[in-house]
Amino acid sequence: MEYEPLKKVTLTEQVMERLAGMITSGQLKPGDKLPNERDLAELFGVTRSRVREALRALSLVGMLTIKPGDGSFVSEEGAKIPEETVMWMYYQEMHRHDEIYAARSLIETEVYLTCYDNRTPEILARLDEYRDRLLDVEAEEISAEDFLKILTEIDTYVGDVCGNSVYARLMQIMVLMRQESAIKVLKLSTSKESAVFYRCKILNAFHQDDRNKVKKCLSDFFKYSIKEISMH
């Protein structure tokens, strides 16, 4: 395993990007132990504090597992991001709804479009099943919590099959961070009906050979979502 020193002392985010790139490219594999902080700092040409911050941040999003006294390891594939970690991030850093939806729009749109680019007959069939489940929802009878479980299942599936493991983890973060605001909005049956409408438009667009159509449906969905949350 080879490391290239950074050309100058960098921000923590740059160290994160370098390590994340090694993980996603397969240079670092699940279960691999990273060099210690001192060695990483020397290899990257940065301070140990930068390395420590980067390792901690990557552990927060589930890419690394830090074992006190033993070191940092690449998380096993399929490892889920701890919900309490994400909710802590939510309350500490992302308490403003406009920030949450800006992040959701950016990340979830890219995840869905990547899934669209890599769609297969099996993926399309599964998405059709989810669409049919949404259409069968009785908005006045299903609870906000149960309805959100369906939406979470759909988004998590899209992230898992999009072909990008980092996107899959980012989608995990998004579905956890939105819980509080989503349940608040989905208390109303009209909000559930609108969610079904926009979601089904997105899923139906996967059958069309028009990527821009999918992107437009996603854009419409988030415009609706931002409007709904601003009213509650």
Side-chain angles (χ1 to χ4, degrees):
M1 183 170 59
E2 297 181 357
Y3 295 81
E4 289 183 20
L6 299 177
K7 295 181 179 180
K8 59 181 180 179
V9 175
T10 65
L11 297 174
T12 299
E13 288 78 9
Q14 291 176 278
V15 181
M16 289 173 58
E17 289 176 0
R18 182 67 63 83
L19 290 172
M22 291 177 173
I23 294 171
T24 57
S25 69
Q27 185 175 352
L28 287 170
K29 296 179 171 50
D32 281 356
K33 182 178 180 179
L34 274 65
N36 60 37
E37 290 179 3
R38 182 181 60 189
D39 289 342
L40 285 174
E42 182 178 346
L43 289 165
F44 286 146
V46 297
T47 63
R48 289 182 64 178
S49 63
R50 293 294 188 186
V51 170
R52 188 177 305 114
E53 291 169 0
L55 295 176
R56 185 180 300 118
L58 290 173
S59 72
L60 283 174
V61 298
M63 297 189 78
L64 295 179
T65 299
I66 298 177
K67 300 179 181 180
D70 197 12
S72 300
F73 298 80
V74 178
S75 296
E76 297 295 334
E77 290 181 321
K80 297 298 183 182
I81 300 168
E83 180 171 349
E84 60 272 18
T85 293
V86 179
M87 295 314 293
W88 179 86
M89 292 166 63
Y90 170 82
Y91 286 115
Q92 295 296 320
E93 304 292 344
M94 297 289 286
H95 55 282
R96 291 174 51 186
H97 293 311
D98 57 341
E99 292 179 355
I100 294 174
Y101 275 89
R104 283 193 60 192
S105 178
L106 178 68
I107 294 171
E108 293 180 34
T109 295
E110 190 60 32
V111 174
Y112 265 81
L113 290 175
T114 302
C115 183
Y116 173 83
D117 292 338
N118 295 294
R119 66 197 189 282
T120 64
E122 292 75 19
I123 290 175
L124 291 175
R126 184 71 173 275
L127 294 180
D128 285 347
E129 292 176 5
Y130 282 128
R131 179 201 59 206
D132 293 342
R133 282 180 62 186
L134 287 174
L135 292 173
D136 287 339
V137 165
E138 295 291 340
E140 294 184 357
E141 297 180 9
I142 190 171
S143 68
E145 291 78 8
D146 286 342
F147 185 70
L148 182 58
K149 286 179 181 178
I150 298 175
L151 301 183
T152 296
E153 187 177 339
I154 296 171
D155 289 339
T156 301
Y157 173 76
V158 169
D160 288 344
V161 300
C162 76
N164 185 312
S165 61
V166 174
Y167 284 179
R169 292 185 182 279
L170 288 173
M171 183 63 90
Q172 290 177 34
I173 293 174
M174 291 299 101
V175 299
L176 289 170
M177 289 180 63
R178 75 187 185 200
Q179 283 184 359
E180 184 175 300
S181 58
I183 289 176
K184 184 177 180 180
V185 170
L186 294 173
K187 293 289 186 181
L188 298 176
S189 60
T190 53
S191 295
K192 297 189 193 83
E193 292 168 355
S194 296
V196 169
F197 172 76
Y198 285 103
R199 289 279 187 156
C200 287
K201 282 187 65 176
I202 294 170
L203 298 179
N204 284 332
F206 266 68
H207 285 281
Q208 301 182 34
D209 293 325
D210 187 348
R211 193 176 193 270
N212 288 330
K213 177 67 173 179
V214 180
K215 191 172 184 178
K216 175 65 163 54
C217 289
L218 287 161
S219 175
D220 290 344
F221 165 69
F222 280 108
K223 287 178 182 178
Y224 148 75
S225 298
I226 293 171
K227 180 180 178 181
E228 283 289 292
I229 194 63
S230 67
M231 295 172 59
H232 293 80

